[in-house]
Amino acid sequence: MDYSNPEIPEGINTSKEHPLKEFVLLSAGVLGLIFAAVLVLGILADKLAHFIPFSVEQSIATDRFSKADTSLPIEKYLNDLARRIVAAQELPEGMTVTVHYVDEDTVNAFATLGGNILMFRGLLAQLDNENALAMVLAHEVAHIKHRHPIRSAGRGVVIGLALSMVSSSLGNAMVDTVLGQAGQVTVLSFSRDHEKESDQTALDTLVKLYGHVEGATDLFQVLKKQEKISVMPEFYSSHPLTDKRLQKIAEFGSRLGNSSEKEKTQLPAGYSDWLKQKEQAGEPE
Amino acid sequence: MIDLIIFLTLLALGYGFGRYAESRHYKSIIEREKLLRRIPAVAQKFPPVTTKPYRAELVTGSVVISVDYFKRFLSGLRNIIGGRVKAYETLLDRARREAVLRMKEQADELGADMVFNIKLETSSIFKGQKNSVGSVEVLAYGTALIP
């Protein structure tokens, strides 16, 4: 008997297809699926969140937030301004807004569950007129008006749950990471939509309060200064790009185009002292 | 963001190095297979009937090949929708052929005429995070007939 190992043609046990082709097809398909699923879940959660009464939101938040301390001049002033904004935005019955002053350097302000708004000293110290401050506050009140905090929270829970269920059954750490990131990017697009909506409402409020939108851009100039350190691409950030927001305001302003007086309202005398007072009081020395 | 950059870098590195190593390996496999074609390796259980006196000796060849980052990711995606895991097919094909080649090289050194009763064993010797395959070992062994 004769034995031999003849030359066997290549490609019987392997595929000639380019691996990059498979990679592109697979990742496009899987990522597309995840985007679609997160989008659908997000929209559903968003729609359902509207049915959660505001009082439930308030009861969740009461443990975390005290009542506004009106003995502090800054907090009293912010809450008074917020009241005017609430009236201008015509918040529904039962929806209350409480502004809390936070004595920290962080340049930020945000609205959270139960109508609570946190304003940080770092941001307040950089605003030099009431219009700019009103823009910030009106933006945050708009978040509450549109119920963004509870909608984001509801969506976060639903999408987080879905993604973790999928990833735990996958058992592949890498694919896990990618799915998580894809979900996050989709969630961020919702967040940007909220910011855009709030910017628009805030501008309308400024027009109602002052008759013009002068000073609205001041906030974004402050933000731009901050951004010099690092700028994320838009798809990866929770807010629209500052330049885009500035552009929107400019467009809105030019559409408004009224020739009425566009003077910025001054901050009340002693505003900077109020910030300092708390600052000093906060220090033990 | 930084996660994504690291991930894409690893993916690109995995792809680049993996592709390079694979094409080099295949080239060497095909070349050495030609050289060792004079020693047939067959799966037949019993030695051929012959009057020639032969000495029989065990020959083995084993190889461990690691999956690259790119292949691992590709197979992870494949796990979701199913189908041929092409990324691993080339990996195992290389490992099997390399193991047989090493076995034949050993037989060649012994001056064997042929190797019969060859067997192949495959195992994943390292399970990485969450049981994903890390590297694969293939062992080929058989009985060499030395005149």
Side-chain angles (χ1 to χ4, degrees):
Chain A
M1 206 195 251
D2 248 0
Y3 296 96
S4 70
N5 280 164
E7 189 172 350
I8 297 163
E10 295 293 318
I12 290 174
N13 294 320
T14 56
S15 160
K16 280 264 182 290
E17 195 188 72
H18 202 279
L20 279 184
K21 187 186 162 200
E22 193 189 5
F23 172 73
V24 169
L25 283 178
L26 274 180
S27 40
V30 170
L31 287 185
L33 221 74
I34 288 293
F35 277 130
V38 170
L39 215 64
V40 169
L41 279 178
I43 290 168
L44 285 178
D46 194 87
K47 292 272 174 278
L48 288 175
H50 280 290
F51 293 105
I52 301 172
F54 192 73
S55 55
V56 172
E57 236 187 272
Q58 280 171 319
S59 66
I60 298 171
T62 37
D63 313 336
R64 286 156 203 269
F65 295 100
S66 49
K67 281 210 160 70
D69 180 5
T70 44
S71 70
L72 282 171
I74 182 69
E75 209 152 300
K76 182 175 181 321
Y77 167 63
L78 289 175
N79 276 293
D80 286 345
L81 187 58
R83 208 162 305 136
R84 283 166 60 201
I85 292 166
V86 166
Q89 290 192 8
E90 293 161 2
L91 258 64
E93 197 69 30
M95 221 183 243
T96 55
V97 169
T98 318
V99 187
H100 305 271
Y101 172 67
V102 185
D103 187 22
E104 274 168 32
D105 288 329
T106 318
V107 183
N108 198 5
F110 64 86
T112 181
L113 295 176
N116 290 291
I117 296 174
L118 275 74
M119 302 283 274
F120 288 80
R121 173 166 48 74
L123 178 64
L124 292 179
Q126 292 197 45
L127 301 173
D128 61 358
N129 59 74
E130 196 183 87
N131 304 59
L133 181 57
M135 178 68 190
V136 181
L137 212 49
H139 175 94
E140 303 309 336
V141 172
H143 275 316
I144 290 165
K145 181 189 177 183
H146 300 305
R147 308 211 56 196
H148 291 163
I150 191 78
R151 283 160 66 185
S152 310
R155 186 183 304 128
V157 169
V158 169
I159 293 173
L161 212 66
L163 280 180
S164 70
M165 262 157 63
V166 170
S167 71
S168 67
S169 53
L170 266 183
N172 185 313
M174 273 187 294
V175 177
D176 234 48
T177 321
V178 172
L179 291 192
Q181 299 267 338
Q184 198 192 336
V185 166
T186 321
V187 169
L188 286 174
S189 83
F190 284 116
S191 165
R192 285 195 298 277
D193 287 344
H194 284 175
E195 297 302 329
K196 279 179 208 153
E197 196 180 11
S198 291
D199 275 353
Q200 193 49 52
T201 312
L203 287 175
D204 292 337
T205 314
L206 283 195
V207 174
K208 258 191 195 166
L209 286 180
Y210 303 104
H212 58 78
V213 291
E214 207 66 12
T217 50
D218 292 11
L219 159 70
F220 297 105
Q221 301 299 355
V222 171
L223 290 180
K224 259 188 108 159
K225 251 193 278 170
Q226 287 286 308
E227 276 173 7
K228 281 216 174 107
I229 315 156
S230 70
V231 181
M232 289 278 199
E234 185 168 42
F235 75 95
Y236 231 82
S237 62
S238 59
H239 290 62
L241 293 179
T242 307
D243 282 334
K244 278 197 185 166
R245 298 171 82 178
L246 279 169
Q247 199 188 331
K248 273 264 170 67
I249 295 174
E251 275 169 22
F252 185 82
S254 63
R255 255 207 314 270
L256 213 61
N258 55 356
S259 53
S260 68
E261 206 135 292
K262 288 184 172 178
E263 211 167 87
K264 292 180 187 174
T265 310
Q266 288 306 305
L267 286 165
Y271 171 79
S272 51
D273 292 331
W274 295 342
L275 294 181
K276 273 184 202 141
Q277 267 173 18
K278 179 82 189 255
E279 207 175 332
Q280 280 160 359
E283 236 112 58
E285 292 103 348
Chain B
M1 188 67 203
I2 198 83
D3 285 4
L4 198 73
I5 292 169
I6 292 174
F7 171 74
L8 289 176
T9 312
L10 284 174
L11 213 58
L13 281 177
Y15 176 72
F17 284 109
R19 275 292 267 192
Y20 176 67
E22 189 161 287
S23 72
R24 249 180 44 156
H25 193 197
Y26 263 125
K27 221 179 260 168
S28 127
I29 286 174
I30 291 167
E31 211 171 278
R32 281 147 64 217
E33 274 177 351
K34 253 186 212 130
L35 289 176
L36 289 164
R37 193 148 292 139
R38 72 159 194 88
I39 307 173
V42 294
Q44 181 183 296
K45 215 170 174 184
F46 299 102
V49 182
T50 169
T51 50
K52 218 171 151 187
Y54 273 115
R55 188 160 58 84
E57 201 165 312
L58 174 75
V59 280
T60 62
S62 92
V63 62
V64 179
I65 299 184
S66 173
V67 189
D68 61 60
Y69 200 85
F70 179 78
K71 278 193 197 309
R72 200 178 304 177
F73 179 69
L74 211 54
S75 77
L77 289 179
R78 197 36 103 185
N79 278 343
I80 300 174
I81 54 169
R84 274 177 75 176
V85 188
K86 291 172 194 154
Y88 282 172
E89 284 179 350
T90 50
L91 184 87
L92 280 156
D93 185 49
R94 278 162 62 198
R96 274 192 308 265
R97 290 165 75 174
E98 179 68 38
V100 170
L101 274 174
R102 288 182 184 183
M103 183 194 72
K104 278 187 169 188
E105 272 161 14
Q106 203 187 332
D108 188 38
E109 272 171 36
L110 293 169
D113 272 356
M114 72 171 295
V115 184
F116 74 96
N117 197 17
I118 67 162
K119 301 220 163 70
L120 286 165
E121 277 177 24
T122 311
S123 53
S124 75
I125 61 158
F126 164 70
K127 298 226 181 229
Q129 236 175 342
K130 291 195 181 170
N131 287 331
S132 62
V133 179
S135 25
V136 64
E137 191 222 17
V138 172
L139 167 70
Y141 59 95
T143 309
L145 288 184
I146 305 152

